[in-house]
Amino acid sequence: MFNTGKYLEQCLQSILNQTEASLEVIVINDGSSDNSLDIIQRTMLQDKRVVLITNNNPSGNPGTPRNQGIAIAKGKYLGFVDSDDWIDPDYIKLIDLNTYDLVVEFGSGISTVVMAKALLQQAEKRQQTAAKLVSFEHLDDYYKKTAEQLANAGLDNAVQLELTPLAPYKAPDNTTYSYYDCRGILKKLGAEFTGVYPEAEHQRCWVHKTANVLDKLPKSVQPSAKSLIHDI
């Protein structure tokens, strides 16, 4: 977290109030100068599941704090939540219980490597085919770094990594945002999975970074994801 006190309370509560209560919350204070640290410390007094690491000086990149968290994590799965975001109450439970055909990630990085490993391990354990993982990145440096990390981990063939620049996107409420220019790729994915599973009875998609689980993606993409997904 870095100076996100305005959103931090909602973020923390969305994690701590998960229906799956057996979890560890590692917070990396990356040199915040606002009231973020006060909020975390107050929360730690109320909930012993919260662990805090403080960097006196900002690292300047999201990769360093994430690696710090990974280094001390003890759980079965690893997940990342930005401190100005929040997740649905069943987020963790759904990841653990469901089998997905397609996982879409917006914003690549070390989380892409972790997710690819987790999907392969889950598939091996369940003796199933691993879900297809597609990761979108709009920054060239992050794209190259993620590609390098995947190659070093032997996972370069396990992820469809896409470099997609930002483009104007008009949301259903008529607000225009800058967002990943991925509509064409998403439509191809929809066609790909519709062709494999025409009835779309068991297809499931986990949209990472939006905290939504979309069922029956290719045939009728539900408009609940906060992205271009609804346009497929």
Side-chain angles (χ1 to χ4, degrees):
M1 69 178 184
F2 178 72
N3 292 344
T4 51
K6 180 179 178 181
Y7 313 100
L8 192 53
E9 194 81 48
Q10 182 179 10
C11 175
L12 285 169
Q13 292 308 312
S14 75
I15 300 171
L16 295 173
N17 291 330
Q18 288 292 298
T19 52
E20 173 54 66
S22 178
L23 53 84
E24 171 187 45
V25 182
I26 301 172
V27 181
I28 313 297
N29 176 26
D30 201 28
S32 295
S33 57
D34 65 352
N35 65 333
S36 295
L37 182 58
D38 293 336
I39 294 173
I40 292 296
Q41 290 175 332
R42 184 172 66 248
T43 305
M44 290 176 68
L45 294 174
Q46 301 168 350
D47 199 312
K48 300 301 181 184
R49 294 176 296 173
V50 181
V51 178
L52 174 66
I53 295 177
T54 295
N55 298 330
N56 294 326
N57 298 308
S59 64
N61 69 85
T64 297
R66 289 186 176 187
N67 286 334
Q68 289 177 280
I70 291 171
I72 67 168
K74 301 173 184 176
K76 179 180 178 182
Y77 296 114
L78 282 170
F80 302 96
V81 181
D82 293 337
S83 57
D84 60 351
D85 207 344
W86 62 91
I87 56 178
D88 291 339
D90 291 330
Y91 180 77
I92 295 174
K93 185 177 180 180
L94 288 170
I95 294 170
D96 190 28
L97 294 179
N98 289 333
T99 298
Y100 298 98
D101 300 294
L102 174 64
V103 176
V104 180
E105 178 186 45
F106 294 94
S108 67
I110 191 64
S111 62
T112 311
V113 178
V114 172
M115 194 183 310
K117 288 182 178 179
L119 290 172
L120 289 173
Q121 290 172 357
Q122 184 186 64
E124 182 178 355
K125 180 179 178 181
R126 298 179 178 179
Q127 297 183 333
Q128 297 172 335
T129 302
K132 183 182 182 104
L133 173 57
V134 181
S135 181
F136 294 103
E137 180 54 62
H138 68 91
L139 296 174
D140 187 63
D141 287 347
Y142 274 67
Y143 173 83
K144 291 178 180 178
K145 183 65 175 177
T146 302
E148 180 183 348
Q149 291 171 330
L150 288 169
N152 290 340
L155 296 168
D156 41 337
N157 292 323
V159 180
Q160 180 179 329
L161 183 62
E162 299 283 354
L163 179 61
T164 50
L166 297 181
Y169 162 64
K170 190 174 184 179
D173 63 358
N174 291 322
T175 303
T176 299
Y177 302 94
S178 290
Y179 207 74
Y180 299 85
D181 188 14
C182 56
R183 183 181 282 106
I185 297 172
L186 291 174
K187 286 184 177 180
K188 287 181 180 179
L189 287 169
E192 174 187 337
F193 278 83
T194 299
V196 175
Y197 307 115
E199 300 304 319
E201 288 301 325
H202 65 281
Q203 297 172 58
R204 307 181 70 86
C205 174
W206 175 33
V207 185
H208 186 237
K209 299 292 176 68
T210 67
N212 286 280
V213 176
L214 308 181
D215 294 324
K216 302 181 182 179
L217 170 69
K219 206 167 185 178
S220 58
V221 178
Q222 301 176 20
S224 56
K226 298 177 290 186
S227 69
L228 300 177
I229 293 290
H230 83 283
D231 286 333
I232 298 178

